[in-house]
Amino acid sequence: MKKLLGKGLLPLLIKSASVATVVAAASTMSISAQAADMTESLVQNYAAAMKASANSQNINQIARLVSDDALISMSRKGKSTSLDKDAYLKLLQNSWSNTSNYRYDISVDNIVITGSQAKANVTTNESWVKDGQRVSFVTTSRVTLTLSTGNAVLLRAVSQVAIN
């Protein structure tokens, strides 16, 4: 038995354990790499979460759907403005506090995925009542979503706003 362990079986066991360890490590790296890819499903989940969060006016949930590094550029009637995450969240809160019957809808199409990011066309329809008048906004955007903690979050948006 001692002779068997010394010459053949023990080195084989050690070698086999090393191969198993390497295979396990490679499998873990493969799973991690796959988990870092954006999917169309994650983009659609983002849209559904944004719709639910906006309609319930849940600013904390919306904050989780927007990257800390977000930059949102909006144009309306030739005037442009750029907002970071904090300014965007404040704009939403101000809108909600000065209006009633707020409604939000979102649609996403033309999704192009590259690694951990997706670019997509997004159309949002927002409406509310202010001073007894119904106001509707339609915003068309080209957005970049990125992965954060396994979910799609807004990184960039270039938007055109129209008031109906």
Side-chain angles (χ1 to χ4, degrees):
M1 176 85 162
K2 203 174 201 180
K3 184 176 179 186
L4 204 69
L5 288 175
K7 288 202 171 182
L9 190 54
L10 187 57
L12 182 59
L13 287 173
I14 292 170
K15 189 174 185 179
S16 295
S18 298
V19 169
T21 303
V22 169
V23 169
S27 295
T28 302
M29 289 188 316
S30 174
I31 290 168
S32 297
Q34 290 171 359
D37 285 342
M38 179 68 73
T39 65
E40 189 165 331
S41 177
L42 288 171
V43 173
Q44 296 299 340
N45 290 348
Y46 161 84
M50 185 60 92
K51 180 178 179 175
S53 301
N55 282 318
S56 64
Q57 297 182 13
N58 185 336
I59 201 68
N60 291 325
Q61 180 58 32
I62 290 176
R64 286 190 283 277
L65 295 168
V66 178
S67 170
D68 291 341
D69 300 326
L71 180 60
I72 301 160
S73 300
M74 299 190 314
S75 297
R76 184 175 147 243
K77 294 185 179 179
K79 294 183 180 179
S80 296
T81 186
S82 292
L83 306 171
D84 63 9
K85 179 179 181 173
D86 290 336
Y88 175 69
L89 296 174
K90 285 177 187 170
L91 178 67
L92 281 176
Q93 289 177 304
N94 288 340
S95 294
W96 295 339
S97 68
N98 295 317
T99 63
S100 61
N101 295 336
Y102 180 83
R103 297 289 174 255
Y104 179 94
D105 197 18
I106 183 172
S107 63
V108 179
D109 64 11
N110 195 21
I111 300 168
V112 178
I113 296 172
T114 306
S116 65
Q117 292 191 340
K119 293 190 184 301
N121 293 337
V122 173
T123 303
T124 59
N125 292 286
E126 297 172 89
S127 64
W128 57 84
V129 175
K130 183 173 182 174
D131 301 326
Q133 299 288 342
R134 177 153 270 334
V135 178
S136 296
F137 274 52
V138 176
T139 305
T140 55
S141 307
R142 185 67 178 164
V143 303
T144 301
L145 302 172
T146 191
L147 281 176
S148 176
T149 62
N151 295 303
V153 297
L154 180 67
L155 180 62
R156 299 278 182 266
V158 177
S159 306
Q160 182 67 42
V161 180
I163 299 175
N164 294 338

